[in-house]
Amino acid sequence: QVQLVESGGGLVQPGGSLTLTCEASGFSLDYYNIIWFRQVPGKEREAVLCVARTENRQVYLDSVKGRFSGSRDKTKNAVYLHMNNLKAEDTGTYFCAGDRFLSCRTIVDGQPTYRGQGTQVTVSS
């Protein structure tokens, strides 16, 4: 089955860290631009950061700059979102989306080919 699957979410205390994983099955992520999004009920989805196929990284969300980063492991066909110093306002469902031909900027506003179901992150004491 061709899909993206996220994992690694959970409950974490403020100041803690999590690493989310976006794994692809049925295709290789090597040539895909991947965006991590955050979705909170009642709000529009927010683009968090891009892990481009060129290995460039772009953080879109000002509130996470300096705390979140992205990486890619081609041997595991996976992209990661590393989240440090988590805050309550980071709570939400995080999902990855990817496209081979759309740029990261276009994926943010458009309809990428693949999107995962998401993993819940709750930051609370």
Side-chain angles (χ1 to χ4, degrees):
Q1 189 174 3
V2 179
Q3 60 181 353
L4 291 175
V5 179
E6 302 90 343
S7 62
L11 173 64
V12 63
Q13 292 186 342
S17 299
L18 280 176
T19 292
L20 306 184
T21 301
C22 171
E23 289 183 285
S25 62
F27 68 102
S28 172
L29 282 178
D30 287 2
Y31 303 105
Y32 281 74
N33 295 316
I34 300 295
I35 299 283
W36 282 99
F37 289 94
R38 180 168 72 198
Q39 181 78 61
V40 177
K43 293 187 176 182
E44 294 288 323
R45 72 182 189 188
E46 299 175 297
V48 179
L49 63 78
C50 164
V51 180
R53 61 187 177 190
T54 60
E55 301 303 323
N56 287 338
R57 309 284 185 267
Q58 179 69 47
V59 179
Y60 294 123
L61 203 55
D62 287 342
S63 63
V64 308
K65 287 182 178 178
R67 300 188 296 120
F68 289 16
S69 62
S71 65
R72 180 191 296 264
D73 187 336
K74 293 184 177 181
T75 65
K76 296 183 179 179
N77 204 26
V79 171
Y80 304 96
L81 177 63
H82 308 282
M83 306 187 294
N84 297 310
N85 191 21
L86 282 160
K87 304 177 181 181
E89 52 263 40
D90 296 322
T91 295
T93 298
Y94 288 75
F95 65 93
C96 58
D99 201 280
R100 183 169 181 173
F101 302 106
L102 297 180
S103 69
C104 285
R105 188 69 254 178
T106 306
I107 293 173
V108 169
D109 298 323
Q111 297 294 329
T113 301
Y114 299 112
R115 170 191 160 161
Q117 292 298 310
T119 184
Q120 176 67 32
V121 172
T122 302
V123 185
S124 175
S125 55

